[in-house]
Amino acid sequence: MTQADPKAGFIDQVSWNSDGLVPAIAQDFKTGRILMMAWMNRESLAITASEGYAVYWSRSRGKLWRKGESSGHLQQVREIRLDCDGDTILLLVEQQGGIACHTGRSSCFYRVLQGGEWSTTQPVIKSPETIYESPEL
Amino acid sequence: MTQADPKAGFIDQVSWNSDGLVPAIAQDFKTGRILMMAWMNRESLAITASEGYAVYWSRSRGKLWRKGESSGHLQQVREIRLDCDGDTILLLVEQQGGIACHTGRSSCFYRVLQGGEWSTTQPVIKSPETIYESPEL
């Protein structure tokens, strides 16, 4: 593990919101599929940049969220991008296990608006019980 | 213009934040490129769904933002997606003019982290002065 410096210049150039966070979009590096959207604080961006695996900030748990730490579905970061006004991060990642969503689907954006209703369009690849209760499998 | 109903069921199923907003990601339908991230409120989602062109909520201006109304760079919506926890929208769009960013670039995510610095990677296709001062061109 290399040393993450949350005071690095590139981190100061991000426009953190009043909670010290920015949205971070994860996109599959190979397929272009958008996998998920989560949040980052300074420390999570610093660690992500230094270690090369996506680390977010869990707002519900109030702590760093090393993506894949319980599921094994790590996101190896190939590119980190910043938007024009500096308040949104884009991660280009290789999604280990091909599953980004806690529901066991490849992407969290599996609902599409059709006829005024949200329809589920992606199959569950692996059940959440299998993912989270038997991480060694 | 068709009637937008901000009380429609699918809108109630979105987990709006305490400001009544959710992040909305725009992705190019053909190339998969992520174009921008903006915010939506109930009304902007209702109008987007009914009219078929992306309408966001401008937090800085405190009003609806019909994307492309001054630049001509409308986003024709091909799909509207919702993530697993219902708090992020994904729009699959056809970007008119091939320019999503107010800087005149195809995407807002034109800066990439390289060697600890944000490097600009995309050319300006059309200068902002040309886009915004002579919209009839």
Side-chain angles (χ1 to χ4, degrees):
Chain A
M1 176 176 159
T2 55
Q3 198 70 23
D5 178 8
K7 294 195 193 306
F10 73 91
I11 292 175
D12 284 337
Q13 290 169 32
V14 175
S15 294
W16 305 98
N17 73 11
S18 58
D19 294 323
L21 304 175
V22 291
I25 304 162
Q27 181 178 29
D28 188 291
F29 182 78
K30 291 176 187 163
T31 66
R33 174 175 275 186
I34 299 188
L35 301 173
M36 56 182 280
M37 203 287 284
W39 295 79
M40 281 189 161
N41 66 358
R42 299 176 70 92
E43 189 181 5
S44 66
L45 177 57
I47 299 172
T48 298
S50 67
E51 297 186 7
Y53 287 89
V55 176
Y56 302 101
W57 176 258
S58 169
R59 297 180 302 170
S60 58
R61 287 175 284 166
K63 64 174 192 173
L64 287 177
W65 169 26
R66 291 175 179 272
K67 171 67 181 167
E69 65 185 343
S70 57
S71 65
H73 298 150
L74 300 170
Q75 293 177 335
Q76 187 168 7
V77 176
R78 298 290 298 265
E79 249 182 43
I80 301 176
R81 289 181 170 265
L82 184 66
D83 74 345
C84 53
D85 47 7
D87 64 1
T88 307
I89 299 281
L90 171 59
L91 302 179
L92 280 293
V93 304
E94 291 192 42
Q95 177 63 61
Q96 295 191 4
I99 297 173
C101 185
H102 74 288
T103 65
R105 295 178 173 88
S106 58
S107 160
C108 293
F109 293 92
Y110 58 83
R111 290 187 283 180
V112 62
L113 189 61
Q114 290 175 332
E117 296 183 352
W118 299 110
S119 301
T120 295
T121 59
Q122 291 174 32
V124 172
I125 297 171
K126 200 171 177 180
S127 75
E129 293 74 16
T130 309
I131 295 173
Y132 295 101
E133 291 185 7
S134 305
E136 72 282 7
L137 297 176
Chain B
M1 176 176 160
T2 56
Q3 198 69 23
D5 178 7
K7 295 195 192 304
F10 73 91
I11 291 174
D12 284 337
Q13 290 168 35
V14 175
S15 295
W16 305 97
N17 72 12
S18 57
D19 294 323
L21 305 175
V22 291
I25 304 162
Q27 181 178 30
D28 188 291
F29 182 77
K30 292 177 186 163
T31 66
R33 172 174 276 186
I34 299 187
L35 301 173
M36 55 181 281
M37 203 287 284
W39 294 80
M40 281 188 160
N41 65 359
R42 300 175 69 93
E43 189 181 5
S44 65
L45 176 57
I47 298 172
T48 298
S50 67
E51 297 186 7
Y53 286 88
V55 177
Y56 303 101
W57 175 258
S58 170
R59 296 180 303 170
S60 59
R61 287 175 284 165
K63 65 174 193 172
L64 287 177
W65 168 26
R66 290 177 179 272
K67 171 67 181 167
E69 66 186 343
S70 58
S71 64
H73 298 150
L74 300 170
Q75 294 177 335
Q76 188 169 5
V77 175
R78 298 291 297 264
E79 250 182 42
I80 302 177
R81 289 180 169 265
L82 183 66
D83 74 345
C84 51
D85 46 8
D87 64 0
T88 307
I89 298 280
L90 170 60
L91 302 179
L92 280 293
V93 304
E94 290 192 43
Q95 176 62 62
Q96 295 191 5
I99 298 174
C101 186
H102 74 288
T103 66
R105 294 178 174 89
S106 59
S107 159
C108 294
F109 293 92
Y110 58 82
R111 290 187 284 179
V112 62
L113 189 61
Q114 290 174 332
E117 295 183 352
W118 299 111
S119 302
T120 295
T121 59
Q122 291 175 30
V124 171
I125 296 171
K126 200 170 176 180
S127 75
E129 292 75 15
T130 309
I131 294 172
Y132 294 102
E133 290 185 8
S134 305
E136 72 281 8
L137 297 176

